[in-house]
Amino acid sequence: MTKDLLSAAINLKVVGRAGTGVDNIDTPAATMQGVLVVNTPGGNTISTAELTFTHMLALSRNIPQAVASLKAGKWERNKYTGTELTGKTLAVIGLGRIGREVARWGRAFGMTTIGFDPIVSAAAARAAGIEPFPLEEVWAKADFITLHTPLTKDTRHLINAETLKKCKKGVRIVNCARGGIIDEGALLEALESGHVAGASLDVYESEPPTEKERPLVIHPRVVSTPHLGANTKDAQVRVAKDIAIQLSDILEQKDFVGVVNAPNIDFARKSQLIPYLQLAEKVGSLQAQLIGTGKIKRINVTMQGKDVAVSEMSESIKIAVLKGTLSHLLDQEVNFLNAGPLATDMGLSVNSVLVERQDTQFSNTIKVEFEMDGFLNFSRSITGTVFGGSQLRIIEIDGFKTDIPPTGSVVFFNNLDRPGALKAIAGVLSKNNCNISHFSLGRQTKEGKALGAITLDEPVPQNVLEEIGTLPEISNCSQVQLLDMADKVFRIHQKSEPTYVAGDARPHVRPENPQFSSGPTKKRPGYSYAALGTDCLGRSHRSKIGKAKLKLAIEESKRLLQLPEDYRLGIVPASDTGAYEMAMWSMLGARPVDVFYWESFGKGWFTDAVSHLGLKESVGIQEHSADYGQLPDFTKYVF
Ligand code: NAD
């Protein structure tokens, strides 16, 4: 499900994925559009673990090659001499459902099982029969490496030229998790040099693999299957049943099982709790996305202030932190019910501290500290607060004072606090049409090291991030995604209360004149049609606060005017024609329109907008105006 496809589906409410990963769905775009994304993890654990083991056996004994050779009329016994599994060391990367299952069978075959997972504690790993090691130590010990992590920015190219060099000569590698965890170019080189004895792949960076990947797929020491992990009749029946039940429950609003992009849907009715739970979850998610390849030793959550430092809130906040953390690291739905048990299962230790009042300007704060283990023995602390009852802010990261709305895509970087650094980064973003919606710079000392955070309308493509990473002024550049949906989704799914939903009323025709005459279209660099209509529009209300106020004003106006449910009401708090035209285009389109204008918002603009939008008399345009200084008498009209 691409962004274009999603944006064309204007009535779409939910996308179901009968399986685990949702990486074939543009989840940030769905989230922006208020569409739920639902998956069915767990249903294919056994099938995938079995395929992994099949791969490992096939790889160790050259089964596919030997079968093909015999069928071709040859008898090549020496050529296909294999290796035993018994007595070998199996390294499992990612000790989740599939990883643990594979390890269990590895032990049944007499293998020594070692592994790495950023959150599974040493005790929990040992209880599953796996000896945990820091990633750096795993490479040199393994005879077989099997990958069972989701594809995240930290696992992307986890197996690369550098890590391969650290592996034993003759290592064998299995990937039945996700394409992209292995740098395929580096693997091919290591196979050709003989450093890697063989690889077994079910997943690829592009699926189906492109011509570029063919040399790897057809390599004589590679066993390749076309993403068959979940392809058993048993798993397909299981996930098909699961997704059908989940979708029907969601549409009937009975239950929201498997939703991956609506953080607090289960808490949506408890309005006063939501902002703090959202904040806690976002700080947890932010922490998880910044851990790199380190391992979490302990999580400390400090709640300060009279609203949060109370026992009934603190437990939920702790769970919300875990939910944010685990949702990023696990490939399964994490909700308020299972976050605690999942953490316990993984042996993840979480401490919470309640502080009634601290010497701070903020009335309530939530601080989350990740203590890291192993080579990366450090801790990172992130503090957030809630302003005005609903505005979330990250106010401190590792001692740097910040002011970051935790929403959408945020690019973090360190720079030396000197003139030029920001210009350089802004230059790269603007050249690549990446639109900045918020910027925050935290510094500890003047001209010392600074922490920058840029919030953007859309995720920054990988190549642009890499370009930023090469700037001499910038270091430690990384991007995080902080999905943002909760109340929006909940409202869409509330039957009883019809709500204005930004962006779902786009017209099906394009305006006759695609270049609006003035306003943001011209003034806002990088503005595109694709970006049009997903939210309230206008120069002066791109901030979250402004949008929230607008949304409220729209809802109140609809209620006061008793407008029918299907009536779209737009308010454009901008004084230029371009903004008005864009809002018209976005919200009204080719449908009957009542236009009211008064004061300086005059006849001329009405004519302009109607002609630029190509609205035809035939679709029904009613014009209502009032004398200068007067409002039109709304009571006269039947809408
Ligand atoms: P899971 O969520 O139960 O486990 C994932 C584990 O990976 C977690 O324990 C997590 O802590 C760990 N992890 C996250 N980041 C890590 C990192 N940087 N380094 C090491 N470990 C890390 O998921 P699962 O159900 O076991 O699935 C594992 C993978 O298999 C997923 O990517 C899933 O999409 C894939 N899968 C593939 C197929 C297929 O058809 N080939 C089928 C099902 C699942």
Side-chain angles (χ1 to χ4, degrees), residues 48 96-98 117-118 149-150 155 176 178 202 227 229 329-331:
T48 310
R97 285 162 300 194
I98 299 173
D117 191 293
T149 71
T155 59
C176 289
R178 281 286 172 260
D202 186 44
H227 203 144
L329 294 166
L330 302 189
D331 208 48

Side-chain angles (χ1 to χ4, degrees), residues 337-511:
L337 292 178
N338 68 5
L342 274 171
T344 309
D345 188 39
M346 294 172 151
L348 181 62
S349 127
V350 190
N351 292 338
S352 49
V353 180
L354 308 190
V355 182
E356 251 182 47
R357 182 79 197 130
Q358 254 179 4
D359 187 18
T360 150
Q361 64 188 103
F362 303 102
S363 32
N364 291 285
T365 58
I366 298 172
K367 175 163 133 183
V368 179
E369 185 191 21
F370 271 32
E371 284 182 43
M372 305 298 290
D373 214 350
F375 286 138
L376 296 163
N377 203 349
F378 72 101
S379 66
R380 170 174 290 120
S381 119
I382 302 182
T383 308
T385 191
V386 177
F387 289 124
S390 62
Q391 304 305 317
L392 316 185
R393 284 289 186 281
I394 302 296
I395 52 168
E396 192 170 323
I397 300 181
D398 281 344
F400 289 103
K401 301 275 180 239
T402 58
D403 173 27
I404 307 166
T407 180
S409 303
V410 189
V411 173
F412 285 94
F413 57 91
N414 285 118
N415 63 296
L416 284 179
D417 182 30
R418 286 194 202 127
L422 297 182
K423 191 166 166 236
I425 199 166
V428 174
L429 289 170
S430 122
K431 185 179 78 185
N432 289 286
N433 276 346
C434 300
N435 207 20
I436 298 175
S437 60
H438 189 275
F439 172 69
S440 158
L441 186 74
R443 53 186 194 172
Q444 283 163 332
T445 54
K446 205 174 162 205
E447 298 197 351
K449 203 171 165 197
L451 174 78
I454 294 181
T455 311
L456 296 111
D457 291 350
E458 309 273 337
V460 175
Q462 186 61 27
N463 61 325
V464 180
L465 269 190
E466 281 164 15
E467 191 177 342
I468 294 172
T470 62
L471 295 172
E473 301 87 347
I474 304 293
S475 59
N476 302 327
C477 174
S478 70
Q479 175 168 232
V480 300
Q481 303 297 336
L482 296 165
L483 293 181
D484 208 10
M485 178 139 92
D487 59 333
K488 194 169 170 189
V489 169
F490 185 69
R491 279 157 182 268
I492 289 168
H493 290 273
Q494 260 183 340
K495 278 184 194 145
S496 49
E497 191 192 311
T499 315
Y500 163 79
V501 179
D504 74 344
R506 265 165 294 165
H508 297 279
V509 291
R510 293 176 80 86

Side-chain angles (χ1 to χ4, degrees), residues 303-316:
M303 289 148 266
Q304 178 275 137
K306 67 176 174 37
D307 295 336
V308 294
V310 285
S311 53
E312 60 271 27
M313 269 302 277
S314 62
E315 198 44 34
S316 301

